[in-house]
C-alpha cells in the first residue's frame, strides 16, 4: 500500500527453504510447511511444548524456554529423548540448579505411562485435538490397532470426517 513520504520496500519473496533447518518447503493446500517434522529445530521446540502440555504427557516445567534450551543444547534431538534425560543433563541448562533439575526429571519419569487418548494428543497428529484423540482411543483401544486402521475405519470413528481421517492415516504411516 503506497504511503506518502515512504519508499516502497523490496517485493516480498516467499521462502523456498525452511529458515530453521534449510529443508525445501512444500505446499499443502493453502499452507507452506517444512516437512522435516522432528528434525527441524523450530518444529521440535513446538512439539516438545505440545507433548508436555496438560492434555499430553502433562510435564510441568517444559514450556517455550525449556524446550528451546533442550533443543539448542542438543540434549533432545527427537521427542523420545526427553525420557533419557538425567538430572546432570538438565543441570547443564540455563536456570536449572540441582533441585529444579530433579523436579523436572521426576515429572518426566512420572509421565512415562499415560492413557492412550493423551498419548495420541501428544503425538500431534494433524486434525487431532483432545476430543478426536479421545474418540480414537475409545474406538481403537490400542495404538497398534489405530496404526493398522484403514481410511474407512478411521472415518467410522464418531467425529472423524474424511479430511481428518486422511490426515491421521498419512501421519501414522510416516517413517
Amino acid at each position: 500500500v503506497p504511503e506518502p513520504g515512504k519508499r516502497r520496500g523490496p517485493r516480498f519473496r516467499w521462502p523456498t527453504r525452511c529458515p530453521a533447518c534449510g529443508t525445501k518447503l512444500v505446499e499443502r493446500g493453502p499452507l507452506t510447511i517444512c516437512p522435516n517434522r522432528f528434525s527441524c529445530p523450530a518444529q521440535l521446540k513446538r512439539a516438545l511444548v505440545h507433548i508436555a502440555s496438560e492434555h499430553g504427557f502433562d510435564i510441568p516445567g517444559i514450556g517455550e524456554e525449556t524446550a528451546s534450551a533442550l533443543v539448542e543444547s542438543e540434549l533432545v534431538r527427537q521427542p523420545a529423548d526427553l525420557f533419557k534425560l538425567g538430572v546432570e543433563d538438565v543441570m547443564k541448562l540455563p536456570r536449572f540448579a540441582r533441585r529444579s533439575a530433579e523436579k523436572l526429571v521426576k515429572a518426566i519419569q512420572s509421565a512415562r505411562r499415560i492413557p492412550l487418548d493423551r498419548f495420541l494428543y501428544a503425538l500431534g497428529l494433524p486434525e487431532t485435538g483432545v476430543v478426536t484423540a479421545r474418540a480414537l482411543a475409545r474406538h481403537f483401544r490400542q495404538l497398534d490397532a489405530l496404526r493398522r486402521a484403514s481410511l474407512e475405519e478411521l472415518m467410522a470413528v464418531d467425529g472423524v470426517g474424511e479430511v481428518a481421517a486422511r490426515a491421521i492415516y498419512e501421519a501414522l504411516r510416516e517413517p
Side-chain angles (χ1 to χ4, degrees), residues 2-175:
E3 293 183 50
K6 289 193 175 183
R7 280 188 52 192
R8 187 179 183 124
R11 183 178 202 104
F12 177 77
R13 289 182 183 241
W14 200 261
T16 57
R17 298 210 167 266
C18 174
C21 70
T23 300
K24 187 173 175 22
L25 298 174
V26 296
E27 290 185 23
R28 289 204 182 141
L31 306 174
T32 301
I33 65 157
C34 171
N36 194 13
R37 196 166 155 154
F38 292 130
S39 296
C40 175
Q43 288 190 66
L44 180 55
K45 289 173 190 178
R46 291 295 306 140
L48 290 177
V49 172
H50 180 78
I51 287 165
S53 70
E54 70 175 305
H55 296 296
F57 281 85
D58 193 16
I59 304 171
I62 298 183
E64 299 282 340
E65 282 185 46
T66 302
S68 289
L70 288 167
V71 172
E72 289 166 12
S73 67
E74 297 184 350
L75 287 172
V76 174
R77 294 174 190 234
Q78 58 185 11
D81 291 345
L82 271 177
F83 295 98
K84 297 175 187 170
L85 291 173
V87 173
E88 300 301 322
D89 297 322
V90 176
M91 285 177 59
K92 295 174 187 171
L93 301 175
R95 294 185 298 283
F96 275 92
R98 176 160 298 279
R99 188 172 171 116
S100 56
E102 287 171 349
K103 188 175 176 180
L104 179 59
V105 170
K106 183 179 177 185
I108 291 168
Q109 294 308 316
S110 68
R112 280 185 166 275
R113 293 196 180 274
I114 60 173
L116 180 59
D117 62 316
R118 288 181 40 209
F119 181 76
L120 295 175
Y121 176 82
L123 282 178
L125 296 171
E127 306 291 329
T128 305
V130 174
V131 174
T132 302
R134 279 190 196 128
L136 290 168
R138 206 174 311 116
H139 186 89
F140 292 102
R141 300 195 181 271
Q142 295 180 350
L143 182 59
D144 286 340
L146 174 60
R147 292 185 72 204
R148 287 191 306 267
S150 69
L151 197 53
E152 293 74 24
E153 289 171 314
L154 288 167
M155 286 191 292
V157 176
D158 188 36
V160 177
E162 185 178 349
V163 171
R166 188 171 306 284
I168 294 165
Y169 181 85
E170 289 172 7
L172 291 171
R173 277 146 187 84
E174 285 181 21

